[in-house]
Every structure is written in C-alpha cells, then in structure tokens.
Amino acid sequence: MKPVLVVGAGQLGLMMAAAGARFGIPVDRMDHVTGELVPGTSNLRLTMPLDEIEQRYDIITAELEHLGDTPLLNSVKATKSWQNAAAFEILPTREKQKRMLDELQVATAPWQFLNNQDDLLNAHAELGDKLVVKSIRDGYDGKGQWRPVAGQSHDIPAEAFGGLIAEAMVDFSREVSLVGARFANGEYYFFPLTENYHHEGILRYSLGPAPKTEDLQADAQTMLSKIMEHLDYVGVMAMECFQTEQGLIVNELAPRVHNSGHWTQAGSDYSQFDLHLSALTGAAVPHQPKRFPVTVMLNLIGCEWNAEWQALPGIQCYWYGKERRDKRKLGHINLSASSVEELVAHCEGLMPYLDEEHKGFLAEAVALLNAS
Ligand code: ATP
Ligand code: MG
C-alpha cells in the first residue's frame, strides 16, 4: 500500500493514521510548523530530509488548509506527492473561495472585499445592516470574525482592513454539512447530510444523518460535485451550508476531513477517514456501508477527561491527548443506537458524567432527536 503523509500533527491526522492501520496503509504525520515527522499514532518526533520524505511518501495530504507560506511548506507543496494543489491554492483564502463559488454559480452569501472603513459603509448599504466580517485567511472556530451593525460602533481592528470580506447575515433555519469524496476515476461517494450546532463559532454537536433532508441531499451533492470536479479534486471535501427558504447556501468549504464528519466513525462502518484514504490510494468506491439510523457527535471542548465515558453503553469516545485550554477541541463522543429511543437512553446515561455546559448541548441534541 502507498504510504501517506498528512501535513499537520493534530487530531484529524491522528484519526487518519488509525484508519490507515485497518487497510494496511502506513499513515505518518508532519508538524506543519517545525517540519518534524510524527510516525503513525505515536508522539515521537523525527527529522527527515525533504528528498527522503518525497521518496518515501507517494501521497502527501493535509489535515488543515491554513498552511501558511513558509519555505518548508512551499517545498512540500512543490513535491510530486502533494495532492490537490488547486484546492489548497484557492480554498484557504476566503475571497478566492467565494469568487470561485460565484463563478460556478453555487449559492453562497453575497459578499464584498473590505479595503477600508468606507468599504464597510458601502457593504452595509449593499448587503444589509447586519454583516458577518471575516478575515480572508487563518479563520477557524469563529476566530477572526466580527459582526458589525450599521450605525453602531464596531470592534474590527483598523489594521485588519485589506484582509477582510463582509458577508450578508444569512437568515437560516439550520446549518448542515455535506462530507463526500471524489475518486481519481471521477466517481463520487457522499455521506448523508449532517446537522450542526455551533456556539461561540465552535461546533458543539452534530446529528448524522441530519433528520428531514429528503429534499436537500441531491442538491447538496450536485453543488459539491461541481466544486470538486472544477478543482479536479481527489479525496474528502466538506461543504458547510445554511438551510434557508431559498434552499442551501454554501458557508464554506474545507479540503479535508471535517469535524462535522466525525459521526461517521460510529454511525457507519466506513468513516470519512476511510473514505479519504480510499480515494487517495485508488481503492474502490464503497457500496452502501452499514449505517445506524442516527448518531450524535458531541464535541468535548475545554473540559477534563473522564475515564467513565468510554465504558458507557452506546458510546464511542475519542480523546486527542492535547493540553487542556478553554474553548479548545480536546475530544469527541459519538453516540449511536439502532433506534431513536435507544439513542436518547444512551444520551441520558452520559448526562451525569458531563459538566453543565456539555450537558446543555447534549440536552439540545436529545430535544432534536425527540422532535425528529
Ligand atoms: P470553522 O471552525 O468551521 O472553520 P470558521 O471560523 O471558519 O469556522 P465560519 O464557518 O465561516 O467560520 O463561521 C462560523 C459560524 O458563524 C458558522 O457556522 C455560522 O454559525 C456563523 N456564520 C458564519 N457566516 C455567517 C453568515 N454569513 N450569516 C450568518 N451566520 C454566519
Ligand atoms: Mg465553519
């Protein structure tokens, strides 16, 4: 099997390495800041010259799109093993991503580039009183975002102008995402849509498959396949959307496995990590993997590890081994069952082992399950 290198030494590459073990695909990781090689799921750190890296790894992919413009990463991107160069050129810059969506006529919130304060006034006039202003680079978990309101003072730093876009505030009923892959032969595989809930810009929980998406799945697949084909993309891509009265509107795209696809680890016997590796290594497109009716994914944000979690019924727990920090993604729990009633019971069983904040989010997920 072709060895794969994942740029980025975080949890997504870690879970990819774990998935690779099942298929006999050696997956190692590379710290994108230091350039150190992290073999498999270990925390060893080694150094390896770039020409050796290029020789050893037929496929170099990434677990994050904000790679920066360092000499190291530019050299990695210049290797023959680097995958999906076009997507990593366009998607990490919001302005380029939005322009591409407009060109492809894939619905997205109307937007404008902000060079200065006057542009912000103009954006209010054109796009509405309430705007979402976003840095064009390096945003994640709601960082680098502001919500100015016309006629009120705002907290956007003056030096940020020139690297910002303003988007119209979208009036959505819910957020959903589509995770899917394009294979080198041009075939596609899509998971069912996921329903996602954010708080303070951070994904807190997802339901996969999302309930009541009969009318949306085909549209979402058409949109994402158009994008992946345009970029001649191979591997998993995630498309975050707003559901509106006019249909789906794309919020943003990620050229990688995605937090909103974590439910597939327990909710399907073929996960988004399996899918990414299969597409990259030229394996066959899966045929109808087994799936639970619904899975809840609860992100573990800024909390302490609890050894009881993994022993509870219906629970699959992932802990990333990262240093604890407030609002940091430290792990996630997938809860699945063969019926909604049983799943609700699993959620209730977990409640006593969660802090108040996580309990609140899980209670919201239970309310959605009960209403589904
Ligand atoms: P991620 O962690 O997914 O990379 P991010 O920091 O890149 O997040 P976005 O996904 O663009 O940021 O925005 C975070 C959240 O803010 C969205 O999931 C959505 O809830 C809200 N949001 C973003 N853009 C808009 C918009 N134009 N209108 C309304 N809400 C928005
Ligand atoms: Mg997002």
Side-chain angles (χ1 to χ4, degrees):
M1 284 289 190
K2 293 176 176 174
V4 173
L5 180 68
V6 183
V7 178
Q11 64 266 19
L12 298 179
L14 188 68
M15 291 185 275
M16 200 125 50
R22 177 179 161 199
F23 299 123
I25 303 171
V27 178
D28 297 327
R29 303 177 287 140
M30 177 198 255
D31 186 312
H32 68 290
V33 180
T34 64
E36 289 163 308
L37 202 80
V38 187
T41 56
S42 92
N43 58 2
L44 273 177
R45 286 178 173 252
L46 314 171
T47 49
M48 191 185 274
L50 194 65
D51 54 341
E52 229 172 279
I53 287 181
E54 189 173 11
Q55 233 169 28
R56 175 171 164 72
Y57 299 98
D58 299 292
I59 294 164
I60 305 182
T61 182
E63 62 153 25
L64 75 173
E65 58 276 30
H66 304 299
L67 290 173
D69 205 14
T70 63
L72 168 78
L73 291 167
N74 288 335
S75 310
V76 169
K77 287 182 193 167
T79 65
K80 63 178 183 334
S81 309
W82 176 241
Q83 306 292 305
N84 296 313
F88 279 86
E89 161 59 25
I90 293 171
L91 301 190
T93 309
R94 278 193 198 275
E95 174 203 6
K96 291 187 189 173
Q97 187 182 133
K98 294 286 271 185
R99 193 166 291 134
M100 179 194 76
L101 291 169
D102 287 347
E103 276 164 18
L104 294 175
Q105 297 186 321
V106 172
T108 187
W111 64 283
Q112 288 184 4
F113 193 82
L114 300 182
N115 273 309
N116 50 47
Q117 305 272 359
D118 285 345
D119 286 351
L120 181 61
L121 293 177
N122 188 43
H124 276 303
E126 303 260 320
L127 304 175
D129 286 350
K130 289 185 179 177
L131 298 174
V132 181
V133 169
K134 302 179 179 179
S135 300
I136 57 168
R137 278 192 206 91
D138 296 335
Y140 70 100
D141 289 351
K143 294 187 174 72
Q145 291 197 12
W146 299 266
R147 300 194 167 204
V149 178
Q152 295 179 16
S153 62
H154 64 74
D155 54 354
I156 307 170
E159 64 276 13
F161 285 89
L164 300 174
I165 63 161
E167 290 180 10
M169 178 75 77
V170 178
D171 183 18
F172 57 84
S173 54
R174 62 174 171 171
E175 291 187 74
V176 294
S177 59
L178 184 68
V179 174
R182 183 168 176 267
F183 284 64
N185 63 4
E187 285 185 74
Y188 295 92
Y189 178 83
F190 294 101
F191 288 107
L193 285 161
T194 309
E195 185 166 330
N196 302 312
Y197 287 85
H198 296 82
H199 177 66
E200 296 172 329
I202 306 172
L203 179 66
R204 298 303 173 131
Y205 62 95
S206 298
L207 261 56
K212 301 180 190 134
T213 56
E214 298 73 23
D215 307 336
L216 301 175
Q217 183 76 28
D219 285 353
Q221 291 186 191
T222 304
M223 292 157 98
L224 185 52
S225 40
K226 198 180 201 180
I227 293 160
M228 290 199 279
E229 192 187 359
H230 172 75
L231 294 168
D232 194 18
Y233 188 84
V234 174
V236 165
M237 188 178 285
M239 179 176 80
E240 297 178 20
C241 296
F242 301 121
Q243 185 177 345
T244 73
E245 281 177 5
Q246 290 76 44
L248 293 179
I249 290 185
V250 174
N251 173 28
E252 59 171 354
L253 300 161
R256 55 173 168 80
V257 288
H258 195 256
N259 195 170
S260 71
H262 288 358
W263 68 269
T264 62
Q265 294 170 307
S268 167
D269 64 357
Y270 185 86
S271 74
Q272 63 165 344
F273 302 96
D274 300 334
L275 181 62
H276 189 57
L277 290 175
S278 298
L280 284 176
T281 57
V285 180
H287 289 284
Q288 301 179 336
K290 271 192 255 158
R291 197 175 289 145
F292 282 110
V294 61
T295 295
V296 172
M297 191 284 308
L298 178 71
N299 264 343
L300 300 167
I301 312 282
C303 59
E304 300 291 339
W305 160 252
N306 185 332
E308 305 282 346
W309 288 330
Q310 55 190 339
L312 296 170
I315 280 179
Q316 182 195 54
C317 182
Y318 285 82
W319 190 250
Y320 311 147
K322 301 196 297 194
E323 197 186 317
R324 202 199 77 80
R325 252 187 267 137
D326 281 351
K327 300 191 181 163
R328 192 175 200 200
K329 287 179 185 168
L330 300 172
H332 67 276
I333 292 176
N334 287 320
L335 300 111
S336 42
S338 42
S339 71
V340 169
E341 293 70 28
E342 197 187 349
L343 181 54
V344 169
H346 292 330
C347 292
E348 300 295 353
L350 174 61
M351 289 288 183
Y353 301 92
L354 295 175
D355 61 26
E356 289 310 310
E357 193 182 39
H358 289 82
K359 233 182 244 179
F361 292 123
L362 190 58
E364 287 178 22
V366 167
L368 287 169
L369 287 174
N370 284 328
S372 67

